[in-house]
Amino acid sequence: VSGSSFPDTPSLACKFGDRVVKAVHVSASEITCRSPPAYTTVVSTNVPISISGNGRDFLATGFAYNFVPIPVVTQLHPVSGPSGGGTKITFSGNNLDGGSLVTNCRFGSEIVEATVFSSSLVQCVSPASSE
């Protein structure tokens, strides 16, 4: 969270809806808050975020947070390909669209952009192997 005059106190906190989490003071103009687990497996959108310097009195930020469901891969095909890369790999599962965020695939330390066909079908082209 970016702003101004954030106090460096042990009771610095953020609230997502009605769930309070500890905030980390980075500087007078920045704090970091880790979102709590979502309330349900259903996507929660526009959850208001508020901040507090004392852990009791919260100030609305005017911003909202969107929880997205955890992606689950149930199948991938093919399971192997040439070391030179270029193989189209299809992932099947649930919630694979990243909640409409940019979706990528990671092969070791290599990240490639994914083509999202639906929330249950994603395809990536394998990069060349570094091994």
Side-chain angles (χ1 to χ4, degrees), residues 32-113:
T32 301
C33 305
R34 184 175 296 243
S35 67
Y39 297 101
T40 66
T41 57
V42 178
V43 175
S44 299
T45 59
N46 298 320
V47 176
I49 298 174
S50 52
I51 55 173
S52 173
N54 62 17
R56 292 183 313 272
D57 304 309
F58 285 84
L59 176 67
T61 63
F63 296 103
Y65 185 79
N66 294 319
F67 287 95
V68 296
I70 296 170
V72 177
V73 175
T74 57
Q75 185 177 11
L76 66 106
H77 181 78
V79 295
S80 63
S83 61
T87 302
K88 287 184 180 179
I89 301 174
T90 302
F91 297 85
S92 301
N94 300 306
N95 309 316
L96 301 180
D97 60 352
S100 76
L101 302 174
V102 175
T103 304
N104 298 306
C105 294
R106 180 187 301 261
F107 296 85
S109 62
E110 190 81 26
I111 297 173
V112 298
E113 192 168 334

